């Protein structure tokens, strides 16, 4: 959801790309993610991609959605530690939960992205 929200609201010239620390490449975004995003006018067809060094090299800023994600990225890819940060809000993972949990996650992500964009 973070990629879709950032790309929908970000200023021109900025692009976000989402990759996971532990995921199955090519898995479609969940239906509840699609529903929660569609409620705010955002459509996505994202499929999961495992984070890798080539992706990290390509981007100027890498944001782990939690502090633990950011730490794991730094441990796995220490050469990029200076451009890895943690998301400004505490985001819970709604995976497998009901639509309300996805809405709550979407709203938290939206608030964090507003903060990130204001600092670009």
């Amino acid at each position: 959801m973070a990629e879709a929200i950032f790309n929908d609201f970000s200023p021109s010239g900025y692009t976000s790309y989402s990759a996971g620390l532990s995921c199955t490449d090519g898995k479609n975004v969940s239906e509840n993610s699609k529903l929660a995003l569609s409620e705010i006018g955002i459509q996505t067809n994202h499929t999961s991609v495992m984070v890798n060094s080539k992706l990290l090299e390509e981007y100027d800023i890498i944001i782990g959605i939690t502090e633990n994600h950011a730490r794991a990225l730094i441990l796995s890819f220490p050469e990029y530690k200076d451009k890895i940060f943690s998301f400004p809000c505490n985001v819970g993972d709604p995976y497998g939960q009901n639509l309300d949990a996805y809405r709550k996650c979407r709203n938290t992500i939206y608030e964090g992205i507003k903060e990130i964009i204001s600092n670009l």
Side-chain angles (χ1 to χ4, degrees):
M1 284 193 287
E3 174 188 333
I5 293 169
F6 182 91
N7 288 337
D8 193 69
F9 291 106
S10 67
S12 179
Y14 291 93
T15 303
S16 170
Y17 187 79
S18 178
L21 290 167
S22 59
C23 64
T24 303
D25 279 345
K27 187 174 179 184
N28 291 329
V29 67
S30 74
E31 285 305 310
N32 280 343
S33 288
K34 287 181 184 179
L35 288 170
L37 289 170
S38 71
E39 291 175 350
I40 60 170
I42 299 174
Q43 304 300 314
T44 184
N45 290 315
H46 179 75
T47 56
S48 59
V49 174
M50 183 70 88
V51 68
N52 61 62
S53 188
K54 184 179 178 192
L55 279 175
L56 297 181
E57 181 179 330
E58 196 173 322
Y59 287 87
D60 298 323
I61 300 170
I62 293 94
I63 300 174
I65 199 71
T66 66
E67 286 182 30
N68 286 339
H69 287 150
R71 279 195 290 270
L73 286 167
I74 290 169
L75 287 172
S76 297
F77 303 96
E79 65 272 29
Y80 301 110
K81 68 178 173 31
D82 293 336
K83 61 182 187 176
I84 297 173
F85 303 91
S86 182
F87 199 72
C89 303
N90 184 21
V91 179
D93 186 353
Y95 183 76
Q97 297 180 47
N98 64 27
L99 182 56
D100 285 336
Y102 280 80
R103 288 175 177 134
K104 181 179 178 183
C105 181
R106 174 204 62 205
N107 295 343
T108 302
I109 290 170
Y110 177 76
E111 291 304 314
I113 287 174
K114 282 191 339 189
E115 185 175 331
I116 290 168
I117 288 172
S118 73
N119 290 310
L120 291 177

